Amino acid sequence: MSDHILALENVSKRFGSVLALQNITMRLKEGEVHCLLGDNGAGKSTLIKTLAGVHKPTEGQYLVDGMPVVFNSPSEALDMGVATVYQDLALVPLLSVARNFFMGREPMKKLLGLVPVMDIDYAAETARAKLAEMGIMVRDPHQAIGTMSGGEKQCLAIARAIHFGARVLILDEPTAALGVKQSFNVLKLIYKARERGISVIFITHNVHHAYPVGDSFTLLNRGKSLGTFTKDTVTKDELLDMMAGGAEMQTLMSELDGVTI
């Protein structure tokens, strides 16, 4: 078995003549929070979709438990325990907390021993209990999820992924649209996931959110890696400087390309 539950080795992704990712190497240990940092246009979205099974790498290898894999769909990635929670969360506002928790995997029972129907009582009690395990107290699991705050919705999506067997959680900008308190609750949930031995890839442009929870950090700029750093080798201010300096350096190099000095 590999020391890494998930890894990308020299992965590149092309869309026709466009090189979206170039030679990305990223390795994730069990129970590690690996933060993927980058500004808009850095390549984060393409990398997320490659990890999630939406895109196949054009070059390089994707490994799970040290074994090369080729995912043809996100459901295949999920079957291997790799779950992605996107920014839009894929929740239905008018449905209840319990129905959203089990959406697509509804527990069934037979009405009068004949007609299969959703076991809504089991779904409600299970959703309440699993959310409570993650520190989220839901008064009424039958309430419409549209009545919950943005942070609570993020926490529900994460708890749902964990309940259905996620070994790796890929979180797409989970704090981007949240206030301070709601962001803190999501970051606390990342801690809880790590305590359960679940590995997390936390994609964000916010170093202030990433640094407190992260164990390691990979910086992306225009589809290239600026390097991977562990927490004991880099400070928050150094990460901020590299994010800002990386973009400026890329622009400068483009301007100087072909110029003789």
Side-chain angles (χ1 to χ4, degrees), residues 2 106 128 224 237:
S2 169
E106 290 81 1
R128 188 205 300 269
K224 296 180 181 179
D237 288 341

Side-chain angles (χ1 to χ4, degrees), residues 36-257:
L36 184 64
L37 301 168
D39 230 326
N40 293 333
K44 300 193 303 296
S45 293
T46 302
L47 187 54
I48 292 167
K49 290 178 179 178
T50 302
L51 289 165
V54 176
H55 299 322
K56 296 178 185 177
T58 306
E59 299 168 7
Q61 281 192 316
Y62 186 171
L63 302 102
V64 175
D65 295 324
M67 301 297 294
V69 295
V70 177
F71 293 138
N72 295 301
S73 68
S75 63
E76 290 187 7
L78 194 56
D79 289 341
M80 293 284 287
V82 180
T84 303
V85 178
Y86 290 102
Q87 220 170 335
D88 62 11
L89 300 177
L91 301 174
V92 180
L94 295 179
L95 292 183
S96 69
V97 171
R99 285 184 177 273
N100 272 282
F101 192 90
F102 282 96
M103 189 164 50
R105 301 189 180 193
E106 290 81 1
M108 305 300 289
K109 66 178 181 180
K110 288 191 176 180
L111 188 63
L112 303 176
L114 297 171
V115 182
V117 296
M118 181 176 176
D119 190 339
I120 192 64
D121 292 332
Y122 172 82
E125 189 53 41
T126 302
R128 188 205 300 269
K130 294 302 177 181
L131 288 166
E133 285 178 14
M134 304 303 291
I136 309 158
M137 307 310 296
V138 176
R139 291 184 300 276
D140 180 10
H142 298 292
Q143 73 186 79
I145 203 166
T147 63
M148 299 177 76
S149 70
E152 288 171 331
K153 292 174 188 175
Q154 280 283 355
C155 291
L156 181 140
I158 294 169
R160 178 177 65 184
I162 292 171
H163 174 68
F164 286 109
R167 299 189 300 144
V168 176
L169 271 175
I170 303 169
L171 305 181
D172 175 21
E173 299 274 6
T175 61
L178 303 182
V180 174
K181 184 177 180 180
Q182 292 180 350
S183 295
F184 174 77
N185 288 336
V186 172
L187 297 177
K188 187 165 64 173
L189 195 57
I190 293 174
Y191 267 121
K192 287 181 176 291
R194 179 172 58 187
E195 287 174 354
R196 295 165 69 112
I198 295 166
S199 305
V200 178
I201 298 176
F202 177 17
I203 295 97
T204 182
H205 63 273
N206 192 324
V207 176
H208 298 288
H209 289 171
Y211 197 77
V213 298
D215 299 304
S216 56
F217 310 87
T218 293
L219 280 78
L220 279 187
N221 184 265
R222 299 192 182 185
K224 296 180 181 179
S225 173
L226 300 180
T228 295
F229 309 88
T230 56
K231 197 165 193 172
D232 58 354
T233 63
V234 69
T235 67
K236 180 171 66 176
D237 288 341
E238 286 170 338
L239 288 173
L240 286 165
D241 288 344
M242 281 187 280
M243 280 187 67
E248 292 170 2
M249 182 60 70
Q250 289 282 351
T251 301
L252 178 61
M253 293 300 290
S254 297
E255 291 173 352
L256 291 177
D257 189 30

